[in-house]
Amino acid sequence: MKGLISFLGSFALNLLLNIWGGLIAAVLLVLHLKLGLPIWCFWTVLGCWLAGIGARTLFLHWVASQPDVPEKPKVNKNPYSQKGYERIDSKR
């Protein structure tokens, strides 16, 4: 349930941030009502806009749900580092 609410909140925020597709659909609806433009133009633009935003939001939620993979420890190959430093025997 928490994941669904999180997805819907993100979807609503994405709709607000990408309002241009909705504005184009609204213009097409007004043109349908005033000039008799076919209604399928409005439904096509609205559906594409909603499907695109939904797919992007779903993808970002999927990416965010992936676990972080820790990096494998690397071998210290630096001869000047403290770990790789060996003392020189000065009492020969």
Side-chain angles (χ1 to χ4, degrees):
M1 187 67 174
K2 182 180 177 184
L4 179 64
I5 292 173
S6 171
F7 173 77
L8 290 177
S10 297
F11 184 69
L13 182 63
N14 280 335
L15 286 177
L16 289 174
L17 292 175
N18 299 302
I19 198 71
W20 294 109
L23 291 176
I24 294 170
V27 167
L28 287 174
L29 182 62
V30 169
L31 288 175
H32 166 72
L33 296 174
K34 296 290 182 182
L35 300 177
L37 191 72
I39 192 70
W40 63 266
C41 296
F42 162 73
W43 287 114
T44 303
V45 169
L46 185 67
C48 289
W49 176 58
L50 291 175
I53 298 293
R56 249 183 286 164
T57 305
L58 200 61
F59 175 73
L60 291 175
H61 267 271
W62 174 75
V63 167
S65 70
Q66 298 302 311
D68 292 335
V69 179
E71 292 185 20
K72 295 179 181 176
K74 297 178 182 176
V75 178
N76 186 2
K77 295 182 180 179
N78 185 356
Y80 300 108
S81 68
Q82 193 69 338
K83 185 177 178 183
Y85 180 72
E86 296 177 11
R87 293 184 176 219
I88 299 173
D89 188 15
S90 61
K91 297 179 184 179
R92 288 192 183 182

